[in-house]
């Protein structure tokens, strides 16, 4: 009788350890599968397109400076045509603002100021004062087939160059 009890105790102990072993193996296999999936999955970072549609030119009156807050650019309509400046300060990257009362672009962070329009020898984007090390860069702008202004935020163009303006 005692022998029988000992045998059944051995069997249940063996079953317990078998189940424990299988459970451990399953957890290890699941971890390996998850790691392999992460390793094999393409490591792609999906960023928004640098090209943005800024709508119809007639939305921008002559001598206007319009800030697109979401895309960090200005659309400026000058006598020469439409052009686009980066609105991101070249000092530490704060978003600048158009100050119509002063007729300049100003950075709220450390006081850099920039020209929005051409003035004597100064080009739009040139620094007036402040710690910014470089002018605000000009961005590529063109018209698409629907007559909308498109701006490529990733492409700088030379200030005042023929192709740096849209003329309609
Ligand atoms: S970030 Fe514009 S002046 Fe410092």
């Amino acid at each position: 009788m005692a022998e029988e009890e000992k045998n059944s105790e051995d069997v249940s102990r063996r079953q317990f350890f078998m189940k424990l072993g299988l459970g451990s193996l399953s957890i290890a296999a699941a971890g390996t599968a998850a790691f392999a999936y992460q390793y094999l999955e393409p490591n792609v970072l999906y960023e928004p397109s640098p090209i943005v549609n800024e709508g119809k030119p007639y939305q921008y009156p002559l001598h206007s400076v319009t800030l697109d807050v979401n895309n960090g650019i200005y659309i400026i309509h000058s006598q020469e045509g439409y052009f686009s400046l980066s609105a991101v300060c070249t000092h530490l990257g704060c978003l600048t603002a158009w100050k119509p009362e002063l007729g300049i672009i100003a950075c709220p962070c450390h006081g850099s100021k920039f020209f929005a329009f051409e003035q004597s020898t100064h080009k739009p984007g040139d620094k007036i004062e402040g710690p910014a090390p470089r002018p605000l860069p000009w961005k590529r702008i063109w018209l698409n087939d629907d007559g909308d202004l498109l701006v490529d935020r990733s492409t700088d163009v030379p200030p005042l160059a023929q192709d740096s303006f849209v003329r309609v």
Side-chain angles (χ1 to χ4, degrees), residues 44-53 68-72 151-155:
V44 180
L45 184 64
Y46 294 100
E47 289 188 356
S49 168
I51 297 173
V52 291
N53 187 322
D68 176 347
V69 176
N70 295 328
N71 292 305
V151 176
D152 183 353
R153 296 173 298 156
S154 67
T155 306

Side-chain angles (χ1 to χ4, degrees), residues 88-96 106-114 129-133:
V88 179
C89 182
T90 56
H91 182 221
L92 293 178
C94 288
L95 190 69
T96 59
C107 179
C109 292
H110 313 100
S112 288
K113 296 182 172 67
F114 305 88
E129 63 178 38

Side-chain angles (χ1 to χ4, degrees), residues 138-165:
W138 287 49
K139 296 295 171 183
R140 183 172 166 248
I141 187 168
W142 71 99
L143 277 182
N144 70 4
D145 292 342
D146 296 330
D148 291 341
L149 289 167
L150 298 187
V151 176
D152 183 353
R153 296 173 298 156
S154 67
T155 306
D156 293 355
V157 292
L160 298 180
Q162 282 290 319
D163 292 349
S164 301
F165 291 97

Side-chain angles (χ1 to χ4, degrees), residues 67-90:
L67 172 62
D68 176 347
V69 176
N70 295 328
N71 292 305
I73 53 172
Y74 291 103
I75 302 297
I76 301 178
H77 186 185
S78 73
Q79 206 73 50
E80 292 79 32
Y82 301 86
F83 62 97
S84 179
L85 286 182
S86 167
V88 179
C89 182
T90 56

